[in-house]
Amino acid sequence: MAEPDMLDDEDYPAYTMGRAAEIIGCSPDFLRRLGDAKLIEPCRSDGGHRRYSRYQLRLAARARELADGGTDLAAACRIIILEDQLEEALRQNGQLENR
């Protein structure tokens, strides 16, 4: 049985490629292309299969949203990386202000 902290860990690689693609509503090839574009780097199981975390699924879902809207995949990946960096900077800034 999985440890409780694994169930709450958004970085735990719990989803197979097939299940991740099903959740996002994309093809496994789309997920591979996101890996090639360095947006998400899936973990590998002992058997070498790709495994995705909830955090990675959120990034992939955002990439799909942008791509469905007509944004080039490379541009979509760059936008998502910048959005993620901004969110992290705002989080850190908020922590510093609360000190």
Side-chain angles (χ1 to χ4, degrees):
M1 187 161 111
E3 294 180 32
D5 59 344
M6 287 180 180
L7 298 174
D8 295 330
D9 184 356
E10 73 170 16
D11 294 318
Y12 181 72
Y15 302 95
T16 63
M17 177 180 271
R19 182 67 179 130
E22 181 182 325
I23 290 169
I24 296 166
C26 69
S27 68
D29 182 60
F30 183 79
L31 292 174
R32 279 191 218 70
R33 290 187 300 150
L34 294 179
D36 293 343
K38 305 290 187 228
L39 178 64
I40 55 177
E41 183 75 30
C43 291
R44 297 286 181 152
S45 68
D46 291 339
H49 299 283
R50 290 175 178 88
R51 306 283 296 189
Y52 296 89
S53 67
R54 287 185 305 195
Y55 172 74
Q56 291 171 324
L57 294 185
R58 279 200 307 278
L59 295 180
R62 178 73 174 126
R64 181 173 180 250
E65 177 185 321
L66 290 169
D68 287 351
T71 303
D72 173 76
L73 190 60
C77 291
R78 185 67 184 140
I79 289 167
I80 294 163
I81 289 167
L82 291 171
E83 287 174 343
D84 200 48
Q85 288 173 344
L86 175 60
E87 184 179 322
E88 178 63 16
L90 291 172
R91 186 191 64 75
Q92 289 178 0
N93 191 35
Q95 286 179 340
L96 291 173
E97 287 176 353
N98 291 330
R99 285 186 182 176

